[in-house]
Amino acid sequence: MNKFCILIIMFLLILPVCAENYSISRPENFTLSQNDEDERVLFILDFSNSMSEYLEGRRKVDLMIDTMKQILPNLNPNISVGLRVYGHKMGLTPFEACRASSLISPISVANGINIRNSLLDIKPRGMTPITYSLKQAVKNDFLGFSGKKHIILLTDGGENCDESPCSYVLELIKIRKDIKIDVIAFNIDDEDDLDQLECTSLVTSGKFYNAKTAAELARSLNNSVNSVKKVEAEIIQNP
């Protein structure tokens, strides 16, 4: 575990002592309901321009879509699931490009086939507004839902819209304890980007996957979808 993650863990341990009005549920208190059907799952997938780059002889976006097509039919049909994408539009200005995030398939039961079909029409084009996408998911996509909420964020790069997903979730956990974010970093080498993404998962008691290959991508997505009922604030580094 790198120094950045150690600092985040220290932050989580000492903050309840230092701030009278601040409370946080530690991982051992984050036990989920025995009924998996209470869970709402939202995929947030990267369609930024860099997903057009090639890995192992294929575009990264095609590897992602193929993996999703394999996973979606195996989802429990009783679990509510949805899809948000970002980077699928260029925008006339940087501001518009950094708001290119859309809920393509609202969260609903037995929604796997709709998500699968919607992925076929989306092309990678623009920026990487990760923080904006997370804000939209928390504020709008889960609106009206109670119980546990599970975001699975897949990205091949760090935030490039002058925001910080790590800073956002550090504020989010002060008021929301019902959201877990798993992050799959796909073929990312930049250490600063990895630190930000690692933090985003860690402080929400989610899991972090560093997928360097297509096989590791498939394994990471499978592990995230089939995560155990008890949430652990841990970092997972694929071999």
Side-chain angles (χ1 to χ4, degrees), residues 137-154:
V138 172
K139 180 180 179 181
N140 299 317
D141 301 351
F142 290 118
L143 188 65
F145 291 126
S146 59
K148 56 192 178 182
K149 302 166 184 69
H150 182 185
I151 292 175
I152 301 176
L153 169 67
L154 190 159

Side-chain angles (χ1 to χ4, degrees), residues 46-54 60 124-126 128 156-157:
D46 186 353
F47 278 86
S48 62
N49 184 60
S50 57
M51 287 293 284
S52 295
E53 297 172 357
Y54 280 76
K60 288 187 283 186
R125 291 190 175 94
T128 311
D156 79 330

Side-chain angles (χ1 to χ4, degrees), residues 32-233:
L32 301 180
S33 166
Q34 293 297 312
N35 185 1
D36 283 339
E37 297 175 9
D38 290 341
E39 184 167 5
R40 320 292 178 178
V41 178
L42 179 68
F43 291 97
I44 301 182
L45 302 184
D46 186 353
F47 278 86
S48 62
N49 184 60
S50 57
M51 287 293 284
S52 295
E53 297 172 357
Y54 280 76
L55 176 68
E56 300 174 7
R58 300 188 63 200
R59 295 191 310 164
K60 288 187 283 186
V61 66
D62 295 325
L63 295 173
M64 176 181 70
I65 291 175
D66 284 353
T67 304
M68 290 293 294
K69 287 164 64 176
Q70 295 171 16
I71 288 174
L72 290 169
N74 299 321
L75 291 178
N76 182 340
N78 296 316
I79 292 180
S80 298
V81 61
L83 170 68
R84 172 174 286 274
V85 302
Y86 62 83
H88 57 305
K89 300 176 183 178
M90 286 290 293
L92 297 177
T93 65
F95 178 84
E96 290 179 347
C98 286
R99 296 297 183 271
S101 179
S102 303
L103 182 64
I104 299 298
S105 186
I107 299 171
S108 62
V109 175
N111 198 28
I113 187 64
N114 294 327
I115 292 176
R116 182 183 185 276
N117 292 339
S118 65
L119 285 170
L120 304 178
D121 298 324
I122 309 173
K123 307 298 181 185
R125 291 190 175 94
M127 304 283 281
T128 311
I130 294 174
T131 308
Y132 179 78
S133 297
L134 292 175
K135 289 178 179 179
Q136 292 301 302
V138 172
K139 180 180 179 181
N140 299 317
D141 301 351
F142 290 118
L143 188 65
F145 291 126
S146 59
K148 56 192 178 182
K149 302 166 184 69
H150 182 185
I151 292 175
I152 301 176
L153 169 67
L154 190 159
T155 180
D156 79 330
E159 173 77 51
N160 61 9
C161 284
D162 198 28
E163 290 191 277
S164 164
C166 177
S167 297
Y168 168 64
V169 296
L170 283 169
E171 292 300 314
L172 177 67
I173 61 170
K174 297 178 183 179
I175 56 174
R176 296 288 295 269
K177 301 177 179 65
D178 58 335
I179 295 174
K180 172 182 71 170
I181 303 174
D182 288 352
V183 178
I184 301 170
F186 184 32
N187 192 232
I188 299 177
D189 295 319
D190 187 277
E191 291 298 329
D192 290 337
D193 289 343
L194 289 171
D195 284 346
Q196 282 283 317
L197 296 170
E198 208 169 33
C199 163
T200 303
S201 60
L202 177 65
V203 300
T204 62
S205 296
K207 294 182 179 180
F208 177 75
Y209 303 89
N210 192 354
K212 295 293 187 182
T213 66
E216 289 177 353
L217 173 65
R219 184 161 60 248
S220 299
L221 272 169
N222 270 300
N223 288 343
S224 185
V225 167
N226 298 302
S227 58
V228 294
K229 292 179 180 178
K230 187 172 182 179
V231 181
E232 304 288 347

